[in-house]
């Protein structure tokens, strides 16, 4: 399946036709900044890729021939990202490869010549296969399929089961859990099965306080089930009393995490960062994972994503994707980061990286290490105290010596090493570890990464470029955090947050992702956020110009 997207420049979707190779159309004319983002997001909702054609053909829709030419009826509107031939009228697809590009008469002539050469070489005649030609709609363009460099696929699939992000209160979230219990056949048939969800966001609620187990217990049906709900940023979980009772007694404290307690010291039902591991959840069944992955694939392809970097395989998810790769059931390319557990035995010298399995669809050759927490929940590690909570600077989730030694070991054993770092102190400490570990290492081939790199001092921006460490950023985080970031950091420090232009000016390299399900998977949402700093509805608490900050030197 060729990794390409179809996109039309017309103002609205047109009916699908066979001549148009089952492509959809979408508005792509440059939008003035005064237009609301809704136009752009509407456009993205009807984007499909060539991958989508082949994917759905395998699910009972019109099939594609093994080889065909896809052409524009009105000129060179296929974008190749090849500086030698940036645009072409046609491309020839054979199996999963694009084998030729050019004008329609050129690609047909070369195709026929190659068949004649093959026939001459084997000295026997074959009927010359006709190269089927399919046309995109007039005014459409074809662009390469996009890659999301940081997402959590199975968590995204889980987030689609219960739309918790739409809740505007703990009561509203509880009502959504109730609806899910009533609608899910597996939950109804097995009352002992855990109810899991993802996406609640207390910063969007009127009270802006963490929910409690009592909130979930307020519904008699929800109270009967074991309920575990992960926060939008993935750094907190919310459970009901049934789960709390099963994991009691709890320790007084957890290194690198927080157990939220009430005034009397009683756990309320929310656990931050490393404290989440106190809650034991049975691993999902294979059927659970299949349901989640199907939701991921459907949404990814609809947005023109043909490749996703998964930012944290656990043992169960790694085995699941290896199984899909062995069965050749991966409709998209997956690049996996295996989660690092500092309390487990080091495995970098015992496990061989997987590179290009399933005909290039599956690679698992990197490791994901957590440095600190998230700004939203107050766990990002800062050099100075939080402006809205002077009692804390956030926290590192891993000891510095353990971080440095394991980065060095993984790099020397040939693993790309990626470290989650949000706060400025976390980014400093992780860069310290990289600087020590990268001596004598081929940075170009191993491509170490800072995952998120949200708040970085000016001196660390320069060091990021000097070391060759890649900043893996997610622009949609900026528009999510613009509602509370200045309260957390104050008016001066906030200028270091999401300072993408300063990082570029220092010579560092970027890779872009969504962090789905923390944010929207649609890559156009990321582009819009990066350029406008406006919310999806075109608004900002900082005015119509969006959340723009002026850089400073610290």
């Amino acid at each position: 399946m060729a990794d390409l997207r179809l996109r039309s420049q017309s103002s609205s979707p047109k009916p699908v036709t066979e001549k148009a190779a089952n492509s959809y159309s979408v508005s792509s004319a440059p939008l003035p900044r005064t237009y609301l983002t809704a136009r752009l997001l509407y456009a993205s909702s009807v984007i499909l890729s060539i991958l989508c054609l082949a994917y759905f053909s395998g699910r009972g829709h019109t099939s594609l021939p093994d080889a065909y030419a896809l052409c524009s009826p009105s000129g060179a509107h296929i974008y190749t990202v090849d500086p030698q031939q940036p645009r072409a009228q046609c491309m020839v697809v054979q199996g999963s490869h694009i084998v030729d590009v050019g004008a329609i008469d050129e690609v047909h002539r070369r195709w026929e010549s190659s068949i004649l050469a093959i026939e001459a070489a084997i000295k026997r005649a074959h009927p010359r296969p006709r190269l089927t030609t399919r046309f995109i709609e007039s005014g459409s363009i074809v662009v390469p399929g996009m890659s999301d460099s940081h997402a959590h696929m199975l968590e995204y699939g889980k987030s689609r089961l219960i739309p918790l992000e739409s809740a505007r209160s703990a009561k509203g979230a509880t009502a959504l859990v109730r609806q899910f219990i009533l609608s899910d056949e597996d939950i109804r048939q097995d009352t002992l099965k855990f109810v899991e969800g993802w996406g609640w966001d207390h910063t969007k609620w009127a009270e802006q306080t963490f929910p409690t187990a009592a909130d979930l217990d307020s519904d008699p049906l929800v109270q009967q089930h074991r309920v575990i709900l992960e926060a939008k940023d993935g750094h907190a979980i919310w459970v009901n009393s049934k789960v709390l009772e099963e994991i009691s007694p709890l320790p007084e404290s957890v290194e690198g995490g927080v157990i939220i307690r009430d005034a009397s010291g009683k756990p309320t039902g929310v656990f931050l960062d490393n404290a989440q591991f106190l809650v034991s959840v049975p691993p999902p069944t294979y059927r659970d994972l299949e349901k989640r992955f199907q939701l991921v694939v459907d949404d990814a392809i609809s947005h023109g994503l043909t490749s996703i970097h998964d930012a944290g395989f656990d043992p169960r998810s790694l085995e699941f994707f290896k199984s899909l790769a062995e069965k050749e059931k991966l409709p998209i390319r997956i690049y996996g980061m295996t989660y690092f557990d500092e309390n487990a035995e080091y495995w970098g010298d015992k496990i061989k990286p997987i590179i290009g399995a399933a005909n290039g669809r599956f690679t698992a050759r990197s490791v994901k290490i957590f440095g600190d927490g998230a700004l939203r929940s107050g766990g990002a590690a800062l050099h100075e105290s939080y402006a809205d909570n002077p009692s804390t600077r956030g926290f590192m989730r891993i000891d510095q010596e353990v971080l440095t030694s394991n980065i060095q070991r993984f790099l020397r054993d040939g693993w790309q090493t990626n470290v989650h770092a949000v706060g400025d102190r976390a980014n400093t400490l992780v860069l310290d570890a990289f600087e020590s570990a990268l001596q004598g290492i081929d940075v170009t081939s191993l491509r170490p990464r800072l995952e998120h790199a949200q708040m970085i001092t000016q001196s660390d921006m320069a060091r990021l470029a000097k070391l060759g460490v890649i900043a893996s950023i997610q622009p949609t985080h900026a528009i999510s955090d613009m509602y509370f970031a200045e309260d957390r950091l104050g008016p001066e420090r906030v200028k270091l947050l999401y300072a993408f232009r300063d990082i570029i000016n220092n010579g560092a390299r970027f890779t872009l992702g969504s962090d789905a399900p923390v944010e929207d998977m649609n890559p156009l949402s990321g582009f819009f956020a990066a350029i406008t700093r406006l919310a999806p509805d075109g608004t900002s608490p900082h005015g119509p110009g969006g959340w723009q900050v002026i850089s400073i030197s610290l």
Side-chain angles (χ1 to χ4, degrees):
M1 291 176 283
D3 285 358
L4 292 163
R5 295 170 48 198
L6 273 73
R7 209 177 144 191
S8 165
Q9 295 175 324
S10 59
S11 60
S12 61
K14 297 179 180 179
V16 177
T17 65
E18 174 134 11
K19 182 180 179 182
N22 295 334
S23 64
Y24 282 88
S25 56
V26 57
S27 173
S28 67
L31 293 176
R33 192 166 158 147
T34 54
Y35 275 62
L36 295 181
T37 320
R39 293 295 302 278
L40 182 58
L41 298 184
Y42 168 76
S44 71
S45 69
V46 288
I47 289 177
L48 285 178
S49 61
I50 294 294
L51 173 63
C52 186
L53 299 179
Y55 169 67
F56 284 111
S57 71
R59 302 181 73 193
H61 296 259
T62 303
S63 61
L64 290 170
D66 180 65
Y68 59 94
L70 184 72
C71 300
S72 167
S74 55
H77 295 306
I78 295 175
Y79 290 76
T80 66
V81 200
D82 177 359
Q84 301 300 317
Q85 189 176 9
R87 295 169 63 173
Q89 182 188 12
C90 296
M91 66 179 186
V92 177
V93 178
Q94 186 169 22
S96 60
H97 294 85
I98 298 169
V99 297
D100 194 12
V101 294
I104 187 168
D105 56 337
E106 294 173 348
V107 298
H108 275 274
R109 183 172 61 252
R110 285 193 289 265
W111 177 263
E112 293 173 2
S113 297
S114 67
I115 296 300
L116 287 172
I118 293 171
E119 291 176 354
I122 60 177
K123 294 183 172 55
R124 56 194 176 102
H126 286 277
R128 207 178 289 175
R130 180 172 177 269
L131 184 64
T132 302
T133 301
R134 292 173 176 249
F135 291 92
I136 61 175
E137 293 179 3
S138 181
S140 298
I141 65 173
V142 177
V143 299
M146 295 190 183
S147 176
D148 188 325
S149 292
H150 186 114
H152 304 270
M153 288 186 291
L154 297 178
E155 290 82 356
Y156 176 85
K158 182 166 66 174
S159 76
R160 291 271 277 100
L161 298 174
I162 310 177
L164 291 173
E165 193 173 352
S166 66
R168 290 296 173 259
S169 65
K171 182 178 180 180
T174 301
L176 291 172
V177 174
R178 175 185 177 85
Q179 292 175 19
F180 173 71
I181 293 172
L182 291 172
S183 65
D184 189 88
E185 181 180 351
D186 292 340
I187 296 293
R188 291 200 311 270
Q189 291 181 355
D190 183 2
T191 57
L192 298 179
K193 189 176 180 65
F194 279 70
V195 177
E196 298 181 70
W198 181 300
W200 58 270
D201 183 2
H202 68 289
T203 68
K204 298 290 181 65
W205 300 348
E207 60 274 22
Q208 294 194 9
T209 57
F210 282 118
T212 66
D215 292 318
L216 292 170
D217 296 340
S218 65
D219 186 292
L221 177 63
V222 176
Q223 185 183 32
Q224 295 173 17
H225 294 264
R226 297 174 176 84
V227 180
I228 299 177
L229 308 175
E230 296 191 60
K232 173 182 168 68
D233 62 11
H235 289 266
I237 58 173
W238 170 26
V239 305
N240 63 351
S241 293
K242 196 174 187 69
V243 174
L244 271 180
E245 291 168 2
E246 293 181 354
I247 64 174
S248 296
L250 294 170
E252 287 299 314
S253 62
V254 177
E255 184 177 355
V258 176
I259 303 170
I260 302 295
R261 300 177 186 271
D262 61 21
S264 67
K266 182 180 178 181
T268 63
V270 171
F271 301 81
L272 306 183
D273 288 297
N274 285 355
Q276 296 176 87
F277 299 117
L278 296 172
V279 182
S280 178
V281 186
T285 65
Y286 195 87
R287 173 175 163 78
D288 291 334
L289 298 179
E290 282 185 316
K291 288 165 62 177
R292 296 174 190 178
F293 185 57
Q294 190 60 61
L295 292 169
V296 174
V297 170
D298 289 346
D299 286 1
I301 291 176
S302 74
H303 295 315
L305 287 168
T306 57
S307 174
I308 296 178
H309 295 203
D310 191 286
F313 284 161
D314 60 24
R316 181 74 175 112
S317 59
L318 176 58
E319 288 305 313
F320 172 70
F321 285 114
K322 286 170 65 177
S323 172
L324 292 180
E326 290 168 0
K327 298 173 184 176
E328 297 189 350
K329 290 186 176 180
L330 291 176
I332 58 176
R333 287 181 171 84
I334 295 172
Y335 185 95
M337 312 175 201
T338 300
Y339 171 70
F340 169 71
D341 181 355
E342 64 182 281
N343 297 312
E345 183 182 0
Y346 176 76
W347 47 263
D349 57 351
K350 301 177 180 63
I351 299 175
K352 185 178 180 181
I354 300 170
I355 301 175
N359 195 27
R361 296 286 172 83
F362 184 62
T363 293
R365 55 152 299 182
S366 63
V367 60
K368 166 76 173 294
I369 301 174
F370 274 94
D372 63 345
L375 186 67
R376 182 184 303 271
S377 55
L382 307 179
H383 283 300
E384 304 295 335
S385 299
Y386 279 81
D388 60 351
N389 187 4
S391 66
T392 181
R393 295 191 299 152
F395 48 81
M396 292 295 289
R397 294 178 57 173
I398 187 170
D399 178 78
Q400 185 67 16
E401 184 177 339
V402 174
L403 175 66
T404 302
S405 64
N406 280 283
I407 286 178
Q408 187 172 47
R409 293 180 74 181
F410 276 114
L411 288 172
R412 293 197 180 279
D413 286 329
W415 292 84
Q416 181 189 34
T417 305
N418 310 327
V419 185
H420 168 113
V422 171
D424 55 357
R425 179 161 59 99
N427 279 287
T428 294
L429 294 174
V430 174
L431 286 175
D432 287 346
F434 273 130
E435 190 164 20
S436 173
L438 285 171
Q439 297 178 24
I441 296 293
D442 183 357
V443 178
T444 302
S445 64
L446 291 177
R447 309 184 322 282
R449 289 168 35 167
L450 280 179
E451 299 301 320
H452 307 305
Q454 290 179 8
M455 183 180 180
I456 308 182
T457 64
Q458 291 286 339
S459 59
D460 280 342
M461 291 180 194
R463 193 158 57 129
L464 184 69
K466 180 181 178 181
L467 293 173
V469 176
I470 298 168
S472 172
I473 63 173
Q474 301 78 41
T476 43
H477 283 320
I479 60 172
S480 288
D481 292 2
M482 67 183 176
Y483 299 94
F484 60 82
E486 190 165 331
D487 292 338
R488 293 277 196 279
L489 301 171
E492 291 304 311
R493 278 190 302 170
V494 76
K495 296 174 183 178
L496 292 175
L497 191 65
Y498 305 114
F500 301 150
R501 173 52 57 186
D502 282 1
I503 295 175
I504 292 173
N505 289 343
N506 274 280
R509 291 181 297 163
F510 274 174
T511 186
L512 299 182
S514 67
D515 205 10
V518 180
E519 305 292 353
D520 185 5
M521 179 184 281
N522 189 339
L524 294 188
S525 299
F527 294 153
F528 189 88
I531 295 169
T532 69
R533 301 295 181 106
L534 293 170
D537 63 359
T539 64
S540 167
H542 305 278
W547 185 39
Q548 309 290 341
V549 294
I550 301 173
S551 64
I552 58 174
S553 296
L554 283 180

